[in-house]
């Protein structure tokens, strides 16, 4: 067997053993594949990697893996063919390229939702699919928290009427069924539905996509509230400050402590009248010269 064929087989074996669904970036996925090839074959180079994926002996894959260029949809089709990605794994890769390359927020959201749906279909356990579905719609956690209200009614129409922004009774009914299946809500003999103490967890192997989708849903919701929620019922501010990496770590810890205190406050005996969503964001708006 020729050296090139041995190399191609090694590349396919490495790709077959990688959980592509654990990556939300094709750049990170390709960089991980390259790193594994380099580990097994120290003489392996980015130029060879580019050639193996059909781009000739160029630095193209180096530019992709270091996030200096985006993979085009046309090139992505070529890459999945050479990597031997099929079915959901192929669709996942292509949907990530679509999401990353989209210029409009709506297109990026559509690309991520497509990736989310692909991941959900690829999971084998029904329970795990339900756990992933919990993060697919912003209102599932809201319905669960509403069940702790003293005036809560499991009537889907009542739930739909009391959620802002409004959802349909069909969505409310589907949400109740999902939450009951997951054990996040329970039904008594007289038909009353209440909260359980079950911990909400992110499905193993789906952490990145579930959390990413959940935060994306909540960011869109917070944008809507600027025009739909009265100022006295919301608090949205912006702060632009210079921070060192060490200070960023300290700020993140401060926010974790704040969230913990707010949870403790919410667990006090005072009956809740409304359900609130708290979002905090810290992110860089400049780039360090490399």
């Amino acid at each position: 067997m020729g050296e090139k064929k041995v190399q191609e087989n090694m590349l396919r074996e490495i790709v077959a053993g990688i959980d592509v669904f654990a990556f939300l970036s094709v750049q990170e996925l390709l960089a991980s594949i390259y790193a594994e090839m380099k580990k097994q074959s120290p003489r392996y180079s980015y130029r060879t990697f580019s050639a193996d994926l059909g781009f000739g002996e160029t630095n193209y894959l180096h530019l992709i893996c270091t996030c200096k260029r985006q993979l085009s949809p046309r090139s992505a089709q070529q890459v999945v063919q050479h990597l031997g990605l099929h079915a959901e794994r192929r669709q996942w890769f292509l949907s990530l390229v679509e999401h990353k390359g989209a210029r409009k927020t709506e297109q990026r959201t559509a690309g991520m939702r497509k990736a989310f749906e692909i991941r959900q279909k690829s999971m084998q356990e029904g329970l795990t699919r339900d756990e992933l579905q919990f993060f697919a719609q912003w209102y599932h956690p809201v319905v669960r928290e509403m069940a702790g209200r003293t005036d809560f009614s499991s009537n889907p129409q009542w739930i739909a009427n009391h959620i802002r922004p409004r959802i349909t009774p069909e969505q409310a009914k589907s949400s109740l069924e999902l939450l009951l299946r997951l054990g996040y809500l329970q039904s008594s003999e007289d038909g009353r539905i209440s909260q359980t103490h079950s911990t909400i967890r992110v499905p193993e192997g789906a952490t990145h996509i579930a959390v990413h989708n959940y935060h994306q849903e909540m960011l869109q919701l917070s944008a809507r509230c600027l025009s739909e929620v009265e100022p006295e019922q919301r608090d949205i501010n912006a702060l632009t400050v210079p921070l060192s990496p060490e200070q960023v770590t300290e700020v993140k810890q401060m926010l974790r402590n704040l969230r913990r205190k707010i949870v403790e406050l919410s667990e006090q005996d005072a009956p809740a009248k409304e359900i609130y969503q708290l979002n905090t964001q810290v992110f860089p708006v400049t780039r360090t010269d490399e």
Side-chain angles (χ1 to χ4, degrees):
M1 185 181 297
E3 182 179 349
K4 182 172 178 56
K5 190 64 176 178
V6 171
Q7 189 169 280
E8 289 176 354
N9 290 341
M10 182 189 302
L11 180 61
R12 292 291 184 95
E13 288 176 3
I14 288 173
V15 173
I18 287 181
D19 179 12
V20 299
F21 300 110
F23 295 85
L24 282 181
S25 162
V26 293
Q27 287 90 344
E28 291 182 4
L29 172 57
L30 291 172
S32 179
I33 294 172
Y34 173 77
E36 190 59 36
M37 282 291 291
K38 187 76 172 176
K39 185 187 301 182
Q40 296 194 28
S41 180
R43 296 177 59 187
Y44 198 73
S45 67
Y46 275 114
R47 296 179 69 85
T48 308
F49 194 29
S50 294
D52 286 345
L53 297 187
F55 299 108
E57 291 193 1
T58 66
N59 69 338
Y60 182 68
L61 261 297
H62 179 263
L63 295 175
I64 297 296
C65 292
T66 55
C67 300
K68 294 178 180 177
R69 286 191 62 176
Q70 298 289 340
L71 194 65
S72 69
R74 182 176 180 179
S75 295
Q77 293 285 351
Q78 179 175 309
V79 169
V80 293
Q81 180 179 350
H82 283 276
L83 291 180
L85 295 174
H86 302 288
E88 286 87 0
R89 285 157 57 88
R90 178 190 181 96
Q91 294 173 36
W92 175 264
F93 188 97
L94 297 177
S95 67
L96 291 184
V97 172
E98 179 182 340
H99 166 70
K100 191 72 173 179
R103 297 190 176 186
K104 295 182 178 180
T105 301
E106 297 80 9
Q107 294 173 326
R108 288 195 295 272
T109 300
M112 181 49 60
R113 179 160 295 282
K114 183 186 295 184
F116 193 90
E117 292 171 354
I118 292 168
R119 181 61 178 122
Q120 192 174 14
K121 291 178 182 178
S122 71
M123 303 183 90
Q124 300 301 316
E125 282 186 44
L127 179 59
T128 306
R129 286 196 297 270
D130 281 345
E131 289 172 330
L132 191 59
Q133 178 60 28
F134 178 80
F135 294 92
Q137 300 292 344
W138 62 268
Y139 52 80
H140 293 318
V142 178
V143 173
R144 180 181 187 268
E145 293 305 318
M146 288 177 69
R149 289 174 45 163
T150 55
D151 62 341
F152 177 72
S153 169
S154 58
N155 183 299
Q157 186 65 62
W158 185 92
I159 295 173
N161 290 342
H162 285 76
I163 284 186
R164 178 166 53 180
R166 291 280 295 273
I167 64 173
T168 66
E170 291 74 19
Q171 288 174 317
K173 180 176 182 294
S174 176
S175 183
L176 280 176
E177 293 170 349
L178 173 68
L179 294 167
L180 287 167
R181 287 199 304 272
L182 287 169
Y184 297 160
L185 295 180
Q186 61 187 353
S187 179
S188 61
E189 292 183 359
D190 61 2
R192 289 182 59 83
I193 291 179
S194 60
Q195 286 183 346
T196 65
H197 296 291
S198 298
T199 301
I200 295 175
R201 73 182 186 91
V202 179
E204 185 178 353
T207 303
H208 298 305
I209 184 64
V211 172
H212 185 101
N213 189 81
Y214 176 76
H215 289 316
Q216 188 161 283
E217 290 263 330
M218 288 307 175
L219 285 172
Q220 292 175 349
L221 201 60
S222 64
R224 289 188 59 170
C225 86
L226 280 171
S227 58
E228 298 179 5
V229 177
E230 299 79 6
E232 59 269 19
Q233 289 188 294
R234 59 174 167 81
D235 185 280
I236 297 179
N237 290 284
L239 180 66
T240 306
V241 293
L243 294 171
S244 67
E246 294 76 20
Q247 290 171 324
V248 170
T249 300
E250 186 176 350
V251 168
K252 290 171 67 176
Q253 184 59 54
M254 292 167 65
L255 292 174
R256 279 193 290 268
N257 294 337
L258 174 62
R259 289 193 295 268
R260 184 165 56 248
K261 289 182 179 180
I262 293 174
V263 169
E264 292 172 355
L265 178 66
S266 72
E267 293 175 344
Q268 293 179 4
D269 293 335
K273 296 295 185 182
E274 298 287 357
I275 308 303
Y276 280 79
Q277 176 68 28
L278 173 67
N279 297 328
T280 56
Q281 295 96 35
V282 175
F283 53 90
V285 289
T286 58
R287 186 187 303 276
T288 303
D289 291 333
E290 297 179 358

